[in-house]
Amino acid sequence: MKKVSKPMILVKEKGVVKITMISPANEAIVYTNSPNFKYTLSKEVPHLQTAQTKSAGSKTVVLTVVKITDDPNWVAENHIVLQEEILSNINTGVSKTFSNLSLSLNHAYAWNIEFKGETPNEENMKWNVFYYFDKETVVDNSDPHACNTKYIFDPSFKDKGHWKTTNTSFNSYTNANTVSNGHDDTGAGMITSPNTIIYQRLQTPIKKDKNYQLKFSIKRLKEKSSFKIKAIAFNGTLNSLTPNANIAIMTLSGNIPYYEDWNKITLSAWKAHKDFENIALVFIPENNRARLNLLIDRVCLDESKSACEENNLTYDIGNASGNENITVTNEEYLVGTVQDLYPNQDTSTLDWYANIADDCLSIGGDDAEEDAIQPNAHDAIEIEKAEKELEEIENKLIKEAPEYFKPKNGIQPIVYNGKAKCSDKKPALDPTKPFGGRDVVYIHGLQLSAIMGNLKPSPTFQGKWPDDKNEFYKGGEFYNEAKGYWENHIKRGLGSAIAPSNSYLIVSYSANQRLEVAIHAVLTQIRDAMAGENIGVVKSNEQYKNKRCFGSNGIVVVTHSTGGLVASTMFSIAEKSGTNQTYKDYYGDVRFITNKIDAQIGFDAAYGGSPLATTGIAVLAGLTINPVLKTAAKVFFQNNNLQQHANFSPTNTILFDLTPMVSKYKWRPLMRSSIPTLIMTGSTTGKSAEGLLTFPGNLLIRGFDDGVLSNGSQSSHIKRRPGFMVKNRGKLVDKGTPLMKRKAIVQMSKSGKNFQRGERNYYISPFLSPTGMLQGNSVRGIVDRPGQFIHNHFTILQTTGDHFDNVDEVARGHDNNYGYTDGDGLLNRTNLGTPFRAPRNKIKNNEETPVVSSASLYSSGLLNSDFASLNQEWIKKETWGLHLPRLTMVRKCVRLFRKERCIKVPKITWHYHEFIKWQRKYHLLKDYETKMGMDYMYEYILR
């Protein structure tokens, strides 16, 4: 439409008096239904003085406003919306508004001024045409129905032969019938049944790597519930709505509310990852049983600009939740498998992530209120002081560490004479069973009963290995404690705790003793099981039937928390026990045990220790002077009705071995063995270790953690807090997670004031967040991955589970026995004297992401190659939708008295605009909604 920068001066002559119409100027746009009309009457008298000119008199004029319609006689009396007589001074500007004038939105009007009682000269009569639009109205002179006809056959539905519907297997019917009331012609399609699918074979196929956008017109015949539209590209027969190698989800709209007029709908742009020959549209009502009763017309498929540019739309329309005209939709949908979506990449390992462009992965930044979430300044200072003190304590402890592997407390070398009370037959593996049917040894994490027992008025759990050996076997208190630890996990993993798919053994050790003693206890119990002398072995039907020795099918060691530190150290010691005299004197030559072990499966394992252990020692031994830790100790002892005993030294417990310094300098060199370890890590600021100092757990473990261990420790990372360089922090805010978890993640992703170089424990890949959100090139590793992890330790899975999700809390009765995470990662307290745990907010925890870094896991048979095909891409987004008119100015010629007059009149087409507030892409494992991390480990390792 022609833009007018200055009023167009239209002049009418009547003698020496002239009428100049100033505003609204011809083809002007007004945004009020009662505009200000401005005009002047001027009389030119040569050689008169100014005073004489000013006293030129007055005239009565008639101001007329008419509404332009399709009636050729557009100034007929029935189209007049205002006619007023105005006494106007000559040579004086006049400005008038009229309270009795009310214009209709999105229409054209014309106004004119005549002298009262005088017949106008019809040939010279002038009218100013103006338009009344809303400020949100989009004025667009392009044809709203124009589209590239090389793709769609018959966009207007005049021919029934091109668009088809699916059969009843989709619960839809033949509803794309031609009707007579189309958008701009006689053709349209009718949709009545919910989940109707219409599709057609394209004239020109969709081409790989090109960008496409669908648009079409929709009209609801009756007001029903809102509905969504899903667009699909496919090859062959559309026999499913789930994306696969031949079916792609182009986009899914938000909820489109009812509107009484025709609407133009434009869906999000989409980049094709391969060639497709067909498209389909699925109409999904909000209420699945509601009839839709809508017409569809003018379906167009066009090539578009970059999908990033088309979709990276944020529109300032105020507070969406407070505007009843705006429809807010939070959506989550599956796009397809990563293998299908990125055919040019080897997606079986992490290496390909660096090749993904960064632009489209995250749309919309972080919210200011979330960005500001930090502990208050007082807490931050005290915590920093506490951390420094703990480091000093660790350095002191490492210097005072006693010598290891000195036989004591009756410890004797482990001997196996080969005379087993069972049959050591050839392995009978079964790929239908977990780990191929191998026998399983379960090594528990830190059990606090022994340590807490030292602090009770009457000490409990005081048994020691090997003096009180019976307490560690079936029926003993340490065994029973370990059984309760693993029972729910075993039921889920092996199907039953009493009739399992695989034979298994639960071993135990005392937290009141050091790591080398725990290793001796575990090795001894496994040796007794292999000899048929350990009554704690729970046999599978196959072992019962064949009287097979435990371990003859091979052994998989499943560990959790401290159990991972026990196992990884034990493997190396056992393999060296034939040649290293120190180990041989302490353990005997125990290679016959590790020769049967095929792998370790580590769940939230403490390969790098935990600062909680240092905190525990500092508090329990009274080594701390820091007010934060002293207050924590006071609350801890009071809440648990405990007391300190002068003869109790926490440095003689396994807590000492769990301190990061001892773990790093004393035990990490002994974790190098030929037995592979496959790891699952947890990462959420959620529930902390029960009982022991939960407050430091939430604050002293920097970066992401599972409430007890940092991800660096769990993933066997050599650095305590691996760092990453951040290019675009705003893209790292995971807006697809629940609010409480998101706030905690924002806080935990920061370190100090320099947010561009954070200690951000993206422990395996900087391209994936703990929830599976793609980060593209927003972050990069400060150091290269090779050499960062302990030899032969491979993380294959990351999850947002807390420390106990995959062990004793696998069956908490929520959503198919899938666990919840407590969202108390943020402090909610006023002073250091109040309880430290904030009120719990239940947050659903259901994200699992594959992070395989080595293709050798597949080729060696450790990991089933099908695992690589489970990785799926999901989109989570929030959209704001609203109906807005789009006006096309159409040239129209009418007869005005005996003269033809051509003007531009508005033609309205309503568009449903959908603006993306934020959008994130995620890579998650298939069935992540109902499966836990442990399920994938049992289903795809060694089978």
Side-chain angles (χ1 to χ4, degrees), residues 571-588:
F571 295 160
S572 178
I573 288 172
E575 288 187 341
K576 295 179 175 66
S577 63
T579 56
N580 185 300
Q581 194 61 44
T582 298
Y583 301 153
K584 194 169 187 178
D585 291 342
Y586 196 90
Y587 297 102

Side-chain angles (χ1 to χ4, degrees), residues 730-762:
K731 295 197 174 199
L732 305 184
V733 178
D734 190 344
K735 302 182 76 64
T737 59
L739 180 61
M740 285 301 295
K741 184 187 286 188
R742 182 164 75 246
K743 287 183 176 181
I745 289 175
V746 170
Q747 179 197 4
M748 290 294 106
S749 69
K750 298 178 179 181
S751 174
K753 296 180 180 179
N754 185 359
F755 299 153
Q756 296 305 308
R757 185 186 176 97
E759 291 162 341
R760 298 175 184 273
N761 289 325
Y762 295 116

Side-chain angles (χ1 to χ4, degrees), residues 124 157 292 504 633:
N124 296 325
F157 287 84
L292 290 171
Y504 71 87

Side-chain angles (χ1 to χ4, degrees), residues 773-822:
M773 184 184 78
L774 295 188
Q775 298 171 164
N777 298 316
S778 288
V779 290
R780 65 175 178 82
I782 293 175
V783 293
D784 294 331
R785 189 172 65 241
Q788 290 185 9
F789 302 98
I790 299 171
H791 170 75
N792 225 3
H793 285 61
F794 308 94
T795 303
I796 65 170
L797 185 68
Q798 65 185 32
T799 173
T800 56
D802 69 34
H803 193 66
F804 296 100
D805 257 353
N806 285 272
V807 192
D808 60 335
E809 296 188 1
V810 299
R812 283 180 273 182
H814 300 288
D815 287 358
N816 298 316
N817 288 337
Y818 196 89
Y820 275 59
T821 295
D822 290 328

Side-chain angles (χ1 to χ4, degrees), residues 116-151:
K116 182 182 179 181
E118 298 182 10
T119 302
N121 183 338
E122 296 175 359
E123 294 297 321
N124 296 325
M125 182 179 288
K126 303 293 184 183
W127 288 78
N128 274 12
V129 176
F130 68 92
Y131 311 98
Y132 173 38
F133 297 154
D134 186 275
K135 288 187 182 294
E136 298 289 349
T137 302
V138 179
V139 180
D140 185 358
N141 285 326
S142 63
D143 182 356
H145 306 298
C147 63
N148 193 333
T149 56
K150 74 176 184 179
Y151 289 108

Side-chain angles (χ1 to χ4, degrees), residues 242-440:
T242 302
N244 57 40
N246 293 311
I247 298 173
I249 306 300
M250 300 170 70
T251 188
L252 176 64
S253 75
N255 291 317
I256 302 174
Y258 172 79
Y259 199 78
E260 69 275 9
D261 209 339
W262 278 99
N263 266 284
K264 201 71 181 179
I265 309 290
T266 302
L267 299 182
S268 300
W270 168 74
K271 183 175 182 178
H273 59 276
K274 63 183 297 184
D275 296 350
F276 289 99
E277 296 179 344
N278 310 279
I279 63 165
L281 297 175
V282 188
F283 300 85
I284 309 167
E286 189 175 21
N287 178 353
N288 202 42
R289 296 183 179 181
R291 293 180 67 80
L292 290 171
N293 288 316
L294 60 85
L295 300 178
I296 181 171
D297 196 7
R298 291 293 184 177
V299 180
C300 300
L301 178 67
D302 287 317
E303 292 181 30
S304 69
K305 299 183 297 184
S306 161
C308 293
E309 295 178 18
E310 291 283 358
N311 297 335
N312 216 333
L313 303 175
T314 53
Y315 187 63
D316 185 13
I317 52 179
N319 182 3
S321 61
N323 191 327
E324 61 182 13
N325 297 318
I326 297 171
T327 301
V328 180
T329 305
N330 283 282
E331 192 61 70
E332 176 179 344
Y333 63 95
L334 173 65
V335 182
T337 66
V338 172
Q339 278 185 335
D340 291 337
L341 294 172
Y342 302 91
N344 296 332
Q345 303 286 344
D346 178 5
T347 58
S348 61
T349 67
L350 291 172
D351 295 337
W352 69 286
Y353 279 109
N355 301 323
I356 300 179
D358 187 41
D359 299 339
C360 287
L361 303 179
S362 298
I363 295 175
D366 52 344
D367 293 340
E369 64 271 20
E370 294 172 2
D371 190 54
I373 296 170
Q374 299 182 65
N376 64 58
H378 174 75
D379 288 341
I381 293 171
E382 293 299 333
I383 292 165
E384 185 177 351
K385 289 180 180 178
E387 287 181 331
K388 289 182 178 179
E389 183 184 272
L390 289 176
E391 288 183 6
E392 292 174 0
I393 292 173
E394 282 191 12
N395 286 324
K396 179 181 178 182
L397 292 176
I398 197 71
K399 293 176 182 177
E400 296 175 355
E403 293 187 61
Y404 298 161
F405 311 117
K406 295 295 183 183
K408 54 188 174 183
N409 298 331
I411 286 180
Q412 298 294 325
I414 300 167
V415 179
Y416 181 50
N417 58 18
K419 296 180 180 180
K421 299 178 181 179
C422 51
S423 174
D424 201 2
K425 294 183 177 180
K426 182 179 179 182
L429 297 179
D430 183 350
T432 66
K433 295 180 179 180
F435 314 129
R438 291 170 176 83
D439 298 336
V440 186

Side-chain angles (χ1 to χ4, degrees), residues 3-47:
K3 292 185 177 179
V4 182
S5 58
K6 294 182 179 180
M8 181 180 293
I9 308 299
L10 300 182
V11 180
K12 296 185 177 185
E13 295 190 14
K14 179 63 178 176
V16 294
V17 178
K18 295 182 179 181
I19 302 174
T20 304
M21 299 165 60
I22 300 173
S23 177
N26 193 42
E27 296 192 351
I29 297 175
V30 300
Y31 298 110
T32 172
N33 67 358
S34 184
N36 192 9
F37 294 93
K38 294 181 180 180
Y39 62 91
T40 61
L41 303 183
S42 59
K43 187 174 184 179
E44 297 180 1
V45 181
H47 312 299

Side-chain angles (χ1 to χ4, degrees), residues 532-553:
E533 298 171 0
N534 191 328
I535 61 173
V537 172
V538 180
K539 299 179 180 178
S540 65
N541 288 334
E542 181 271 332
Q543 187 178 353
Y544 267 122
K545 187 184 300 182
N546 298 317
K547 297 182 179 180
R548 179 178 56 78
C549 286
F550 186 86
S552 61
N553 264 8

